[in-house]
Amino acid sequence: MLLPFLLLTFLYPSSSLAKSQLFKNSHLSVEDSTSFLISEDKYFTAGFYKVGANAYTFSIWLTNSVDKTVTWTANRDNPVNGHRSRLTLHGDGAMVLTDVDGTVAWSTATIASAAAHYASLLDNGNLVVKDLNGGIIWQSFDSPTDTLLPSQPITKNTQLVSAIGRGSPSSGYFEFHFDDRNVLRLKYNGPEVSSVYWPDPDKTVWENRRTIYNSSRYAVLDSKGRFYSSDHFKFLAADAGKAGIIRRLTLDYDGNLRLYSLDNTTGLWSITWQALLEAFQIHGLCGKNGIFSSYPRLECLCPPDFEMTDPRNWNSGCKPKFNLNCSMKPEEIEFKYLPYTDFWGFDFNAFDLLSLDECKNKCMKDCNCQGFSYKVGIGLCYPKSILYNGRTTPYSDIYIKVSKYVTNINSSKLQQLGTICNATEGALTVGSSPKMLKGSSKKMIWINLYSFLTAISVVEGLFIAIGWWFVYIKEDDHVLMVEGYKVISNQFKRFSYRELKSATRNFKEELGRGGSGVVYKGVLENGMVVAVKKLEDVSHGEQEFWGEVSVIGRINHMNLVRTCGFCLEDSHRLLVSEFVENGSLDKILFYGNKLLGWKERFQVAIGVARGLAYLHHECLEWVIHCDVKPENVLLDCNYEPKIADFGLAKLLNREVIGSNVSRIRGTRGYIAPEWASNLPITGKIDVYSYGVVLLELVSGSRVSDLVMKGVTEMEIRAMKRLCLMLRESLKMGGESWIGNLMDSRLKGDFDCKQAMRMVKVAISCLEEERNRRPNMEAVVQMLVSGDEEFYSDAAESIQFSSLSTQ
Ligand SMILES: *[C@@H]1O[C@H](CO)[C@@H](O)[C@H](O)[C@H]1NC(C)=O
Ligand SMILES: *[C@@H]1O[C@H](CO)[C@@H](O)[C@H](O)[C@H]1NC(C)=O
Ligand SMILES: *[C@@H]1O[C@H](CO)[C@@H](O)[C@H](O)[C@H]1NC(C)=O
Ligand SMILES: *[C@@H]1O[C@H](CO)[C@@H](O)[C@H](O)[C@H]1NC(C)=O
Ligand SMILES: *[C@@H]1O[C@H](CO)[C@@H](O)[C@H](O)[C@H]1NC(C)=O
């Protein structure tokens, strides 16, 4: 007991008052800056925390974090005056926070039967009131605000409620709690609507891998960064397993739930997990009618003919500059078209196969309809009763019902500008007279701009041609990029051309050059090394491009190069993907001075097959690569292959026939015979190319060079001859022939069974009749299992087909 006391005295020289315990009938007072409780290990401090010019809360914060991060607040919605406010522990067990005039701002409401002995702050950040026997009669862990600490459970009776803004501790609109069905959820609970946004509201409980059948409703983060919930939800921190790290799980004011770890040397936080990867998944961010846009910066926008309801606060969204009422005639109403926009939810009906005009009519006739989303092509029409959760998205267009008579409310931009600037500087002020305080504290105007607007230093209002209000924020003021925070999470992102130009140092280091464009090496601001591909020859509209790259961005498989973002600006079309250390397979296999061993070759064969199988069969959107070749197989540091350049077939401006896939893409020597015909393209085209790659892995040389150079027809015939030869050898049996095919650089150091298997699979992949080729799933099976039955079947079909092709 003595040591910490000495330490404290040392740390706070004038602080004979700094306490580790608050005994009954004593108090902490707001004026005395040395009057606080401190945990024995000194990590946590409890005391008066300044939240405005003359406003204080009683809070617990992390002593060593740079920004003195608050983990709990007693009176978040009811701050007290900077004079004569005090926290008193009464003998009857109650801990009471009183304001300057003696009014109770907060109290523990403990039952008077238990007599308090002292209050103390435990090492885990829990403020407890104990009785004489050491029993806990009250603890702060039972009434969390927006943060859970390790070992602090969330239960039936507790929930987290976000703060309303950065530096404004009062209750916001986002909640984290167990719902009536025992499922842990994130919910936007705004003044007008409420809406669950996590787990994915478009999926069922089961699809989200939760259960409703455990009614214990208990979830907790342990000391090693593992979180478990009774609804089967669980996650691990990025640094899980390490003990002794200070962590906190906070429902941030932007509606995302994040786990943070404190770096105890710098006092900075790192995000080690977050519930939602992308901000647009959060509901209610921009209030009613507001639209969340993530490009070119994260911001809220109002639709045309709308303006911010409260220029200082996006919570209240946008209000129309016109009146719509049910007695208005169709001639007085029109629809404003907002491309790439959606308002999630609140559809009161759903129609399909409607033309745009029919959909407009439905909405026009229904007085409840505020607008509708429309998907071209399938003709999906969703009329909406209220416009909430607006966001930009490539998948939907919105039509908003507006009156033709827009009353030009005087929204001079300069006026608005002034208000916003004042607001950011003003921070929070609580009047000093008790009367004023009492009057204002309930409905206190917490000056907060919404999340990303809070930290603005330079704010500009700009009324641009289409009539949207933009509120510019400092370029680097990303929601997560709050000072002292570092983002580990890695999301699919839209980049600006300028960003990519600087990441690649003006496209300096060229990594490769292919049919689709040139690839450059780059380093993003967060330190991630990436490959940036400048696409050539893309003539698609923005919407199509965005849609296509979003599909690519969702594809995630260990044998496929991960695409982490794109750039779509003027005529620039770029893709940003992970950088793969060992470069492309052709360089190592054909030209490298390093020999690729047999084990690695077999691993590459299986990996590429797995990646293609994923593209062909498991992806939500069926993707045909169309250009499988060693140049498009990259090898990571462990020689695990990653397929590059997939999903580009539809993006590139090539001749498109029938199935939307270009015909000219593909590389000589690897293209299947049906390219020449008019048959629609299927995944079997990749199977053929894969067959060529397999033979190249075995032989270590360009099979595409083995075959005669010349017209495509000739190449195909040459490949046919090669296959016939191999079939003959297989039929004759024995293993000696494989030695002739095998890469001599391996000096006989290979697994003969695996090599035979690869050749057999290659031959079946190279079938001219595409229906005879196996699909990629079957290929994986054949390579992995080495099932003998397959061989006899395959051998039969080989004989059969060699007869039929002669
Ligand atoms: C319900 O959840 C609790 C807490 O996670 C767990 O201890 C308990 O075993 C679970 N009960 C069942 C029936 O799964
Ligand atoms: C900082 O944290 C590490 C664990 O990550 C711990 O071993 C070390 O003792 C801590 N240092 C201090 C000064 O608390
Ligand atoms: C409906 O709006 C029109 C046009 O703004 C207005 O003339 C009319 O008085 C309104 N009717 C009602 C019932 O508010
Ligand atoms: C808008 O306000 C400005 C001054 O703030 C004034 O000069 C102008 O006349 C107003 N316009 C309308 C349409 O009220
Ligand atoms: C608010 O801004 C206006 C216009 O910029 C300025 O005249 C006024 O003095 C500001 N008020 C405060 C309290 O800073």
Side-chain angles (χ1 to χ4, degrees):
M1 209 67 270
L2 191 62
L3 189 63
F5 235 95
L6 284 178
L7 272 175
L8 285 176
T9 332
F10 174 72
L11 279 171
Y12 308 97
S14 65
S15 75
S16 52
L17 279 173
K19 298 171 177 118
S20 64
Q21 287 171 337
L22 177 68
F23 286 97
K24 70 175 172 187
N25 299 323
S26 58
H27 67 262
L28 299 174
S29 101
V30 69
E31 282 103 346
D32 186 352
S33 62
T34 60
S35 170
F36 44 73
L37 289 172
I38 195 154
S39 65
E40 223 169 304
D41 61 10
K42 305 198 307 295
Y43 282 141
F44 291 93
T45 306
F48 286 93
Y49 194 89
K50 187 168 178 161
V51 293
N54 188 33
Y56 287 80
T57 55
F58 186 79
S59 299
I60 298 172
W61 63 88
L62 277 150
T63 325
N64 295 330
S65 63
V66 161
D67 54 354
K68 302 270 174 281
T69 311
V70 169
T71 59
W72 178 79
T73 296
N75 54 326
R76 65 191 305 193
D77 294 316
N78 204 9
V80 293
N81 202 289
H83 302 283
R84 285 186 281 147
S85 297
R86 51 174 58 174
L87 180 86
T88 311
L89 180 63
H90 292 296
D92 64 2
M95 193 152 60
V96 179
L97 179 65
T98 47
D99 210 335
V100 55
D101 59 348
T103 52
V104 173
W106 171 85
S107 111
T108 57
T110 24
I111 318 118
S113 65
H117 183 45
Y118 66 90
S120 84
L121 185 57
L122 305 183
D123 281 351
N124 60 2
N126 194 6
L127 178 65
V128 296
V129 177
K130 290 191 172 176
D131 61 21
L132 260 177
N133 304 322
I136 293 175
I137 54 180
W138 178 88
Q139 57 181 340
S140 63
F141 268 19
D142 287 340
S143 53
T145 46
D146 62 356
T147 296
L148 285 180
L149 292 168
S151 82
Q152 176 182 13
I154 183 154
T155 65
K156 292 183 175 62
N157 308 316
T158 56
Q159 65 170 353
L160 299 187
V161 176
S162 67
I164 197 138
R166 184 172 175 211
S168 302
S170 62
S171 309
Y173 297 128
F174 300 105
E175 294 174 3
F176 177 58
H177 61 104
F178 280 104
D179 70 4
D180 295 345
R181 299 181 73 202
N182 306 319
V183 175
L184 207 46
R185 290 197 186 283
L186 286 172
K187 183 167 89 176
Y188 167 74
N189 194 8
E192 256 183 294
V193 300
S194 69
S195 162
V196 168
Y197 57 92
W198 181 88
D200 189 345
D202 292 325
K203 290 185 178 162
T204 65
V205 171
W206 312 111
E207 283 167 343
N208 282 314
R209 300 184 183 199
R210 306 292 187 94
T211 175
I212 57 173
Y213 295 125
N214 188 329
S215 52
S216 64
R217 296 193 204 169
Y218 184 91
V220 70
L221 178 72
D222 74 8
S223 61
K224 295 194 167 167
R226 296 170 297 201
F227 184 89
Y228 300 99
S229 164
S230 58
D231 70 353
H232 289 179
F233 172 69
K234 58 180 181 224
F235 70 79
L236 290 178
D239 57 359
K242 281 198 219 163
I245 293 181
I246 300 222
R247 297 187 175 86
R248 66 184 167 96
L249 183 67
T250 301
L251 178 54
D252 285 322
Y253 57 89
D254 65 358
N256 210 342
L257 182 69
R258 299 192 180 90
L259 181 64
Y260 295 87
S261 291
L262 185 68
D263 181 332
N264 61 9
T265 54
T266 60
L268 300 179
W269 294 99
S270 309
I271 297 171
T272 53
W273 175 83
Q274 60 183 348
L276 296 144
L277 274 185
E278 297 180 274
F280 73 78
Q281 298 168 294
I282 296 162
H283 289 173
L285 265 181
C286 299
K288 189 180 183 178
N289 299 319
I291 298 163
F292 176 78
S293 164
S294 49
Y295 183 81
R297 49 186 65 75
L298 302 172
E299 61 195 338
C300 291
L301 305 170
C302 286
D305 298 342
F306 284 71
E307 62 185 354
M308 268 182 92
T309 311
D310 172 357
R312 292 170 312 186
N313 185 347
W314 273 106
N315 283 325
S316 33
C318 308
K319 63 173 194 277
K321 295 198 268 180
F322 52 82
N323 293 311
L324 263 189
N325 60 43
C326 292
S327 53
M328 282 172 78
K329 298 187 185 69
E331 306 86 80
E332 299 171 291
I333 297 172
E334 62 181 357
F335 287 95
K336 282 274 186 241
Y337 170 53
L338 304 186
Y340 314 139
T341 308
D342 196 11
F343 287 93
W344 191 93
F346 306 104
D347 309 332
F348 64 83
N349 220 329
F351 306 98
D352 57 1
L353 301 174
L354 282 195
S355 73
L356 179 57
D357 283 337
E358 286 168 326
C359 189
K360 271 186 185 166
N361 256 332
K362 293 244 188 246
C363 185
M364 187 79 86
K365 280 188 200 138
D366 193 327
C367 181
N368 291 322
C369 181
Q370 304 284 315
F372 60 90
S373 79
Y374 187 76
K375 289 182 184 131
V376 200
I378 19 181
L380 284 177
C381 166
Y382 299 109
K384 293 179 186 288
S385 55
I386 185 166
L387 303 178
Y388 247 99
N389 310 325
R391 63 202 190 190
T392 52
T393 152
Y395 300 112
S396 175
D397 294 340
I398 277 281
Y399 292 82
I400 298 187
K401 202 181 200 177
V402 302
S403 162
K404 280 186 179 162
Y405 313 117
V406 173
T407 48
N408 202 2
I409 299 167
N410 201 343
S411 54
S412 158
K413 52 189 163 186
L414 288 173
Q415 262 179 2
Q416 297 233 0
L417 240 176
T419 335
I420 293 171
C421 290
N422 281 357
T424 45
E425 280 162 22
L428 175 76
T429 317
V430 179
S432 54
S433 89
K435 210 171 167 202
M436 246 184 87
L437 178 59
K438 266 180 85 183
S440 62
S441 59
K442 283 278 177 316
K443 285 181 282 180
M444 193 179 309
I445 309 150
W446 287 90
I447 294 175
N448 65 90
L449 293 170
Y450 208 69
S451 53
F452 22 89
L453 300 180
T454 36
I456 309 170
S457 58
V458 183
V459 185
E460 289 175 63
L462 180 68
F463 204 71
I464 64 162
I466 41 167
W468 289 29
W469 277 104
F470 278 76
V471 181
Y472 274 62
I473 59 172
K474 241 174 34 190
E475 195 69 357
D476 55 11
D477 215 17
H478 192 272
V479 174
L480 305 174
M481 288 299 181
V482 180
E483 197 184 326
Y485 294 73
K486 170 172 92 193
V487 188
I488 290 178
S489 68
N490 187 349
Q491 60 184 47
F492 188 66
K493 190 185 161 205
R494 185 171 173 179
F495 292 90
S496 71
Y497 188 68
R498 209 170 48 78
E499 264 176 285
L500 295 185
K501 202 169 157 182
S502 89
T504 55
R505 289 178 297 149
N506 202 12
F507 303 101
K508 201 165 155 215
E509 192 178 338
E510 195 177 309
L511 287 175
R513 209 169 254 277
S516 52
V518 187
V519 187
Y520 302 90
K521 188 171 175 178
V523 181
L524 298 182
E525 258 174 31
N526 64 9
M528 183 180 174
V529 184
V530 292
V532 178
K533 169 172 260 183
K534 262 187 166 170
L535 295 174
E536 285 157 9
D537 222 4
V538 183
S539 75
H540 277 256
E542 290 197 2
Q543 180 167 21
E544 278 170 281
F545 180 81
W546 193 347
E548 288 296 329
V549 294
S550 304
V551 172
I552 301 173
R554 280 200 301 269
I555 295 175
N556 194 355
H557 185 273
M558 68 174 291
N559 294 118
L560 299 171
V561 171
R562 179 106 179 93
T563 304
C564 35
F566 66 103
C567 165
L568 168 58
E569 210 174 290
D570 306 324
S571 62
H572 301 301
R573 301 285 187 273
L574 295 96
L575 285 182
V576 182
S577 53
E578 66 176 316
F579 175 74
V580 187
E581 293 88 342
N582 268 325
S584 57
L585 175 63
D586 63 313
K587 293 208 178 89
I588 296 182
L589 194 57
F590 306 138
Y591 317 113
N593 28 22
K594 192 179 175 305
L595 180 68
L596 195 61
W598 180 256
K599 199 168 139 261
E600 285 76 32
R601 292 187 197 208
F602 193 63
Q603 173 178 314
V604 169
I606 292 177
V608 173
R610 285 209 168 108
L612 287 174
Y614 183 84
L615 281 180
H616 289 178
H617 305 282
E618 281 168 64
C619 274
L620 289 178
E621 260 99 346
W622 202 62
V623 177
I624 308 173
H625 191 295
C626 287
D627 200 7
V628 176
K629 57 180 174 183
E631 284 79 352
N632 283 333
V633 174
L634 307 182
L635 302 176
D636 75 3
C637 48
N638 300 315
Y639 293 94
E640 186 67 42
K642 285 174 185 283
I643 304 173
D645 244 17
F646 53 87
L648 292 182
K650 278 207 231 166
L651 278 182
L652 299 174
N653 178 33
R654 299 285 161 82
E655 186 191 359
V656 171
I657 300 171
S659 61
N660 277 344
V661 178
S662 80
R663 301 224 146 230
I664 301 167
R665 197 177 143 81
T667 305
R668 276 271 180 90
Y670 297 90
I671 43 181
E674 63 261 31
W675 279 111
S677 69
N678 251 349
L679 291 171
I681 301 300
T682 67
K684 292 294 174 69
I685 211 123
D686 289 344
V687 176
Y688 185 93
S689 313
Y690 175 76
V692 181
V693 174
L694 270 188
L695 288 183
E696 293 184 334
L697 277 170
V698 172
S699 68
S701 58
R702 284 265 191 209
V703 172
S704 36
D705 284 348
L706 279 182
V707 304
M708 238 162 62
K709 287 263 181 211
V711 242
T712 319
E713 287 287 308
M714 297 283 282
E715 284 178 21
I716 287 163
R717 225 173 290 157
M719 184 61 83
K720 197 157 79 182
R721 257 205 306 277
L722 175 68
C723 288
L724 269 175
M725 211 178 69
L726 292 172
R727 275 190 201 113
E728 288 299 320
S729 311
L730 271 174
K731 247 195 294 183
M732 304 221 303
E735 289 178 350
S736 55
W737 60 274
I738 196 120
N740 301 332
L741 183 67
M742 193 54 67
D743 188 345
S744 55
R745 289 173 297 172
L746 285 171
K747 300 202 170 66
D749 187 9
F750 64 92
D751 182 318
C752 191
K753 283 218 171 66
Q754 289 177 346
M756 288 285 241
R757 219 185 290 167
M758 275 167 73
V759 171
K760 283 173 182 167
V761 171
I763 292 173
S764 61
C765 290
L766 289 167
E767 283 285 353
E768 236 171 293
E769 172 53 49
R770 63 177 176 180
N771 291 331
R772 287 188 189 284
R773 293 177 211 147
N775 63 31
M776 287 313 298
E777 266 175 352
V779 168
V780 174
Q781 280 309 311
M782 296 171 198
L783 286 175
V784 175
S785 69
D787 187 336
E788 283 307 320
E789 219 167 305
F790 153 73
Y791 291 127
S792 47
D793 282 356
E796 266 167 44
S797 81
I798 284 165
Q799 281 170 20
F800 178 74
S801 61
S802 55
L803 282 174
S804 65
T805 48
Q806 272 161 7

